[in-house]
Amino acid sequence: WANKICRRLPQTLHPIDNVVFMGMGEPADNAPSVVEAAGALIDPYRFGLAPKRVTISTVGPTPESFRELASGAPVVLAWSVHATIDEKRKRMVPTTRYRMEELRAGLMEAVKHRSRALQSVMLEIALIDGMNNSYEDAMDLIEFCQPMKEQFSKVVVNLIPWNDIGGMGPQFQAPTKEAVLEFQKILTSNGIRTFVRTTRGDDESAACGQLATSTKLNKRRP
């Protein structure tokens, strides 16, 4: 049955030009399978995507996890940072067991051993109003990026406005568009290339994080 599906893929699927592993499970928890899947996507005899069109996004459970993903799959590696101060990141990423300096060192070591074309750093920040989108948060992020900027020619930050998923409490609110752009302005004015990710699917409650959380909330209701 799987072979049958694969034979029909070119005729049944819309063209795929970009793939990101993120949001629905941590890639480093299943690194061998993720690496294998990424390899299939860039295989010229299968999906044939360019390596820069495939991204593996990880929270970086351990410093070594970056190396496992980066060395196994010649695709873009992104780190879901969310906050650079240890105490704040622990609140936002409760599974965090290492200091941010340790994780940063692990990422830099992994990137250092990649091909020149892939020696870039991509950081991702899910912006939550009043939690990690202040001027101080931006300045902390700029300082955190400096060692990476000194070693690598390309350091990019992707800002991802929080998607309202309901049931998370009043402290989880999406920032205004103006607040997101102001955060971006602070970073770019200090030499950090920064992009704001376009939210897709939120009108159908199908944006990043919404599907899984909605399912869990529905199961709790009598």
Side-chain angles (χ1 to χ4, degrees):
W1 180 248
N3 287 334
K4 181 179 179 181
I5 292 175
C6 288
R7 286 195 301 269
R8 295 185 60 185
L9 282 178
Q11 292 78 36
T12 58
L13 283 183
H14 292 291
I16 299 173
D17 57 12
N18 191 67
V19 174
V20 181
F21 292 85
M22 74 174 299
M24 300 296 290
E26 167 53 46
D29 290 342
N30 191 22
S33 295
V34 171
V35 167
E36 183 179 0
L41 290 168
I42 63 174
D43 187 335
Y45 294 102
R46 286 184 275 183
F47 286 90
L49 296 179
K52 66 179 181 180
R53 293 292 186 177
V54 180
T55 301
I56 297 176
S57 176
T58 175
V59 297
T62 68
E64 295 76 21
S65 61
F66 296 110
R67 183 70 178 269
E68 187 174 9
L69 292 170
S71 62
V75 299
V76 178
L77 184 65
W79 182 17
S80 294
V81 173
H82 306 316
T84 59
I85 302 302
D86 288 327
E87 295 76 11
K88 181 172 290 189
R89 190 176 195 256
K90 180 66 177 177
R91 293 197 299 271
M92 298 187 69
V93 187
T95 57
T96 297
R97 294 186 290 119
Y98 294 85
R99 293 183 297 109
M100 290 299 287
E101 288 186 1
E102 295 176 289
L103 294 173
R104 181 179 61 191
L107 173 66
M108 293 175 65
E109 182 67 19
V111 173
K112 182 175 69 175
H113 292 283
R114 310 196 85 188
S115 67
R116 184 174 296 274
L118 292 173
Q119 282 192 6
S120 61
V121 173
M122 180 181 292
L123 307 181
E124 296 172 325
I125 311 289
L127 283 181
I128 303 175
D129 189 45
M131 186 174 294
N132 67 341
N133 69 328
S134 68
Y135 175 83
E136 290 75 18
D137 290 315
M139 296 307 296
D140 288 337
L141 178 57
I142 291 166
E143 182 179 353
F144 185 78
C145 288
Q146 292 312 308
M148 294 179 284
K149 285 191 64 182
E150 292 171 4
Q151 184 165 344
F152 305 111
S153 60
K154 185 178 180 181
V155 176
V156 176
V157 171
N158 279 338
L159 302 179
I160 309 171
W162 173 259
N163 291 312
D164 182 18
I165 53 181
M168 295 293 290
Q171 69 271 33
F172 290 91
Q173 299 292 329
T176 64
K177 181 179 179 180
E178 292 73 21
V180 173
L181 294 179
E182 179 60 25
F183 196 92
Q184 180 188 32
K185 181 179 178 181
I186 297 170
L187 298 182
T188 55
S189 64
N190 282 273
I192 306 295
R193 294 180 61 186
T194 310
F195 301 92
V196 178
R197 179 174 295 174
T198 301
T199 298
R200 294 173 178 155
D202 55 331
D203 55 334
E204 297 290 342
S205 296
C208 182
Q210 290 182 321
L211 288 174
T213 305
S214 296
T215 300
K216 291 178 181 178
L217 290 173
N218 288 334
K219 287 182 178 179
R220 293 176 190 164
R221 296 189 182 110

